[in-house]
Amino acid sequence: MVDSGQRQRRRRSPVISPVLRPMLWSALMSAVASAVLAAPAYAEPGVPVTVPDTGSRPALTAPLQLPGGAPPAAAPGSVGVTATTGASALETQILAAEARVGELGTRLLELEQQRVEAEAQLRTAERDLEFARAALTQAQQHADQAAAEAIKVDAALPPGGFAADLRHLDMLRRVNLGERVEGATGPAAGGLARARTDEQVSAQAHLAAESRLKGVQEQYAATQKALRDEEAKLLKLREENAAQLVELARQQERAEQQLGIGSGESANGMTAHPTALAAVEYARKQLGDKYVWATEGPDTFDCSGLMWAAYRSAGYYQLPRISRDQYRATQSRTVPRSALLPGDLLFFASGSSWTSIHHVGMYIGGGKMIHAPNSREVVKISTPSWSRLYAATRVVGAVPAPSASP
């Protein structure tokens, strides 16, 4: 037999001496505490892709290094300075005037939509008021007829019954005068009271619609005047400095081309959606068409009208009409400058808020965009003003590029 003491498993000698265990445990706890204190309990938030309600965006704290040594891309809301270093006072004046004209034009387009909505609301209120007044007239005639018939019937009643019915006739008379009467539950009295209330509500709605339309019309007229004044100032500024502006335009073009190096070079194996390509094709067909404010084709366009018409022609109807709204509708699909694809929208602003967006163009590849610049030019292809780019967004998601044949 094997002795029971031999069947017991022999204990292993401890790896760490009992004398050193307290010291090592204390050192371990100190290291853990140091690590917790050194690392914050939160991570620095990235640049958001949604638009805050105030229209503002946080400033980018550090430049973003793009792959392939491309120039850093600005986050939405980080509008760069002018491309030429130490821009002249004239160039600064021109850029500021162009931004004011663009912003006023966008604001006027918004007011135009509000005016159309206010006019439609007023027409609806007028119809409702007309209907309510007709219903009130009918209810009043019905009440008068009920009163006349009641008098004829009550003439044959005994004294007691006639006296009781006179009370109902008096209630009907008071309702007819617009007085509030408790217990007036008769069909004629109730119908007249409801018709009178409906007429009062409709009259108030009509008055509110008139007031809204008047306010929008006043804002529209003031904004239109301000826009014409700014356009006249810009035209005068250009005419007085025509020769100098030619050289500035050349310098700006060279600087913007340098800034655009690397744009659209890294799409990560993706290609533009067929809808986006169809929108680009439509926009190309409009080359040479005149710029006319607040138009979206077929032969004249403003900047956002061209984008709106291009995507609608491709079967995409979710893009709003105004440039600022177009940005807000696509801001969840912001793309870096290095990953631009044909059909992406390029938004330009005068400040760090989406509310200062005043121009939009469509990227077509090769560092170029197609757009309707202003009333002095036509729809054309040009180098984007990368220094004033607010953000680039994708209307329709990209699709995987077809693999190359072996």
Side-chain angles (χ1 to χ4, degrees):
M1 293 180 64
V2 181
D3 185 59
S4 61
Q6 295 178 355
R7 289 197 301 266
Q8 295 179 353
R9 184 173 298 175
R10 184 176 297 175
R11 295 183 179 178
R12 296 181 180 178
S13 59
V15 178
I16 300 175
S17 172
V19 178
L20 296 178
R21 285 179 182 175
M23 299 174 63
L24 292 175
W25 181 254
S26 176
L28 179 61
M29 293 302 295
S30 299
V32 172
S34 300
V36 171
L37 293 176
Y42 58 90
E44 186 68 17
V47 178
V49 295
T50 57
V51 181
D53 291 340
T54 59
S56 61
R57 281 188 177 274
L60 189 64
T61 57
L64 299 177
Q65 184 61 39
L66 296 179
S78 302
V79 181
V81 295
T82 52
T84 53
T85 305
S88 66
L90 175 60
E91 186 177 6
T92 302
Q93 281 184 285
I94 293 291
L95 293 177
E98 288 178 343
R100 286 195 297 271
V101 168
E103 290 176 4
L104 286 170
T106 301
R107 177 57 182 158
L108 196 63
L109 192 57
E110 293 173 342
L111 289 171
E112 173 70 16
Q113 287 189 342
Q114 293 179 20
R115 186 174 67 174
V116 171
E117 294 172 358
E119 289 173 347
Q121 185 181 22
L122 180 59
R123 288 194 296 269
T124 301
E126 287 174 345
R127 288 195 298 267
D128 291 345
L129 181 59
E130 183 180 358
F131 178 80
R133 285 175 175 171
L136 176 60
T137 300
Q138 186 176 4
Q140 199 156 10
Q141 291 174 351
H142 180 65
D144 292 342
Q145 184 179 1
E149 292 178 354
I151 291 175
K152 293 178 181 178
V153 172
D154 292 340
L157 291 177
F162 181 71
D165 204 59
L166 283 178
R167 177 175 177 273
H168 295 290
L169 288 175
D170 181 65
M171 291 169 58
L172 184 60
R173 179 189 63 80
R174 292 168 62 188
V175 169
N176 192 33
L177 294 175
E179 300 178 6
R180 188 178 183 87
V181 179
E182 297 296 334
T185 58
L192 181 59
R194 288 190 297 272
R196 193 178 298 280
T197 300
D198 292 344
E199 190 272 342
Q200 292 173 352
V201 171
S202 298
Q204 292 174 356
H206 182 266
L207 183 63
E210 282 185 328
S211 177
R212 183 195 176 196
L213 178 58
K214 181 180 178 181
V216 172
Q217 288 174 335
E218 290 175 352
Q219 293 182 54
Y220 185 92
T223 305
Q224 188 178 48
K225 182 181 182 304
L227 176 59
R228 289 174 177 171
D229 292 343
E230 290 295 334
E231 286 177 335
K233 292 178 183 177
L234 179 59
L235 179 61
K236 182 180 179 181
L237 193 62
R238 288 184 177 278
E239 290 176 345
E240 292 176 350
N241 302 275
Q244 188 177 353
L245 286 175
V246 172
E247 180 58 29
L248 284 176
R250 292 173 181 170
Q251 296 176 7
Q252 186 74 15
E253 177 71 12
R254 289 193 295 267
E256 297 293 359
Q257 288 177 352
Q258 288 296 320
L259 284 176
I261 294 176
S263 299
E265 292 184 353
S266 175
N268 297 322
M270 304 298 286
T271 188
H273 193 280
T275 299
L277 295 176
V280 172
E281 183 63 22
Y282 175 89
R284 283 183 176 275
K285 291 179 180 178
Q286 315 313 315
L287 289 173
D289 285 354
K290 292 182 179 180
Y291 175 101
V292 176
W293 176 82
T295 59
E296 54 270 351
D299 300 318
T300 61
F301 300 87
D302 63 10
C303 65
S304 58
L306 179 61
M307 307 298 107
W308 182 84
Y311 269 98
R312 286 182 70 87
S313 72
Y316 185 86
Y317 299 93
Q318 284 74 47
L319 192 67
R321 174 61 179 83
I322 301 174
S323 58
R324 296 172 188 171
D325 295 335
Q326 289 173 352
Y327 169 72
R328 294 197 69 182
T330 59
Q331 47 82 28
S332 62
R333 295 184 293 277
T334 301
V335 293
R337 203 171 68 198
S338 62
L340 290 173
L341 292 173
D344 291 347
L345 301 184
L346 305 179
F347 296 93
F348 303 89
S350 58
S352 59
S353 167
W354 64 268
T355 58
S356 66
I357 290 175
H358 57 78
H359 188 59
V360 60
M362 181 182 292
Y363 187 72
I364 60 173
K368 299 292 184 179
M369 74 172 181
I370 188 169
H371 64 142
N374 51 60
S375 57
R376 296 178 294 105
E377 302 186 58
V378 297
V379 175
K380 67 177 186 178
I381 295 174
S382 61
T383 300
S385 299
W386 300 111
S387 60
R388 286 181 282 168
L389 179 67
Y390 178 83
T393 65
R394 184 155 295 153
V395 179
V396 185
V399 296
S403 57
S405 301

